[in-house]
Amino acid sequence: MTQAPALWQPSDLVTHCSDCRSQFWFFLLKHHCRLCGRVFCYNCNNTYLPLPQFGFNNPVPICNACAHSYDSNNQTRQGTLGQQERQLSTPPTTTSSSVDSQHPSIPQTITSEVPQTHPPAKKINTSSRTPRTFRDKKFWKVEYYTGDKDVIISEATQRQCVHIFECVDCIITINGRVNEILIDKSENTTVVFSEVISSIDIINSKKVTLCCLEKTPSVQIEKSDTVNVRLPAEQMENLHLMTSCAADVTVTSEPKTKLDQSIEYAIPQQLVTQMVEGQLIFNPIPK
């Protein structure tokens, strides 16, 4: 039976690595351990293990302490993500003890040389093409934007679909109510929308953030990497999310008031995720 992953520690409340106590900055980013949910730097969270009991069949990053204590027959691999961060950040000269007795600092990460089994998203084509937004029958198409933080669609209707294709490092805002949103071959792109009637599909993309202001009935993520879905807290009960060949997918419940905190959940791979009475329920995708 698949278990719910650990509740993630809110990253915006953490300023130092939970293990080595290095302070986070521009070149020292925050990483969540998929086993305990705490926040670490890359150097303290770069052991990769499959966690099938949580729905992570491919290796995912866990902290050094969890890697040391986790009893598994699976081989591990040293992560290659964050290589630039590891080169630019200054590693600690001494290893300090953890603030939590459950996570003592580990002098050496468990590593072995095995090929990466994580299915990466397809490489985004950033060749120079003319960016354009146009209507094609029932579709609004947004294509080939790079580095544009102010792409706005304000004339779409509830009978139309929005197709976002090969957009890189963009912020796209969709005003009003639309029937469907499709995001294909895009990278490091944020899509802000009010309401979707049918569904949102993300395919062959990576580093995509969905910001729902009102509601969406369904989100499908396929062959994509690093996707964050941000929903209003009152819409979490209506969550219906399907993942297939997708990795590092998270759902964030936005706070109802300024005094509340956002809650972030890690989503297993190749499962249907639903919120039922305040708990995430994971079921296999029907064949």
Side-chain angles (χ1 to χ4, degrees):
M1 178 180 295
T2 302
Q3 307 174 21
L7 187 65
W8 279 15
Q9 183 180 15
S11 58
D12 54 349
L13 302 181
V14 182
T15 59
H16 293 74
C17 174
S18 298
D19 192 352
C20 70
R21 307 304 299 164
S22 297
Q23 185 173 3
F24 296 116
W25 65 297
F26 184 78
F27 287 118
L28 188 63
L29 304 181
K30 302 175 184 180
H31 301 268
H32 279 92
C33 172
R34 298 305 190 273
L35 191 57
C36 69
R38 300 175 67 188
V39 179
F40 299 88
C41 68
Y42 172 78
N43 294 325
C44 299
N45 195 67
N46 64 353
T47 300
Y48 282 70
L49 281 174
L51 304 175
Q53 70 272 36
F54 296 130
F56 298 115
N57 296 320
N58 293 322
V60 291
I62 63 175
C63 67
N64 295 345
C66 286
H68 181 73
S69 60
Y70 184 65
D71 183 16
S72 173
N73 294 325
N74 296 310
Q75 290 181 308
T76 64
R77 65 176 179 83
Q78 183 73 23
T80 57
L81 299 176
Q83 185 70 22
Q84 182 180 8
E85 173 191 327
R86 183 172 55 184
Q87 294 173 352
L88 295 174
S89 61
T90 303
T93 55
T94 59
T95 303
S96 61
S97 61
S98 173
V99 295
D100 195 320
S101 60
Q102 295 179 355
H103 286 78
S105 60
I106 306 302
Q108 184 176 3
T109 304
I110 304 174
T111 61
S112 66
E113 296 297 331
V114 298
Q116 182 177 357
T117 58
H118 172 79
K122 294 182 179 180
K123 186 177 180 180
I124 306 300
N125 183 8
T126 57
S127 59
S128 58
R129 297 183 183 180
T130 302
R132 56 182 184 171
T133 300
F134 64 98
R135 179 180 174 182
D136 181 13
K137 296 181 180 180
K138 291 185 178 181
F139 286 88
W140 275 95
K141 296 191 177 182
V142 183
E143 301 177 338
Y144 313 131
Y145 284 91
T146 300
D148 196 328
K149 307 298 183 181
D150 195 25
V151 180
I152 299 176
I153 300 176
S154 57
E155 299 179 3
T157 67
Q158 62 183 11
R159 294 185 178 181
Q160 296 173 341
C161 303
V162 178
H163 185 188
I164 300 171
F165 182 71
E166 286 195 14
C167 290
V168 179
D169 196 21
C170 295
I171 298 178
I172 302 171
T173 303
I174 304 172
N175 295 326
R177 191 182 189 194
V178 298
N179 185 60
E180 182 180 357
I181 297 176
L182 171 63
I183 303 173
D184 187 9
K185 295 183 180 179
S186 295
E187 178 180 352
N188 197 27
T189 294
T190 298
V191 179
V192 183
F193 64 94
S194 296
E195 182 180 352
V196 173
I197 299 174
S198 179
S199 67
I200 300 176
D201 297 304
I202 302 175
I203 185 171
N204 296 328
S205 299
K206 57 184 178 179
K207 296 182 181 179
V208 173
T209 300
L210 294 178
C211 296
C212 177
L213 302 181
E214 295 182 16
K215 63 180 180 179
T216 179
S218 175
V219 179
Q220 301 184 40
I221 304 172
E222 181 179 356
K223 298 179 182 178
S224 296
D225 190 2
T226 315
V227 178
N228 178 230
V229 181
R230 309 184 73 90
L231 297 173
E234 57 271 16
Q235 288 299 315
M236 288 298 294
E237 291 293 339
N238 301 322
L239 174 66
H240 187 276
L241 188 148
M242 298 180 62
T243 57
S244 178
C245 298
D248 203 4
V249 177
T250 58
V251 174
T252 301
S253 174
E254 298 290 358
K256 295 181 179 180
T257 66
K258 294 182 179 180
L259 299 178
D260 297 331
Q261 296 180 359
S262 60
I263 303 177
E264 193 170 29
Y265 303 90
I267 303 301
Q269 302 168 5
Q270 294 187 324
L271 293 174
V272 178
T273 303
Q274 292 178 286
M275 180 71 75
V276 179
E277 296 181 352
Q279 298 292 327
L280 287 180
I281 304 299
F282 310 108
N283 296 307
I285 295 177
K287 296 183 179 180

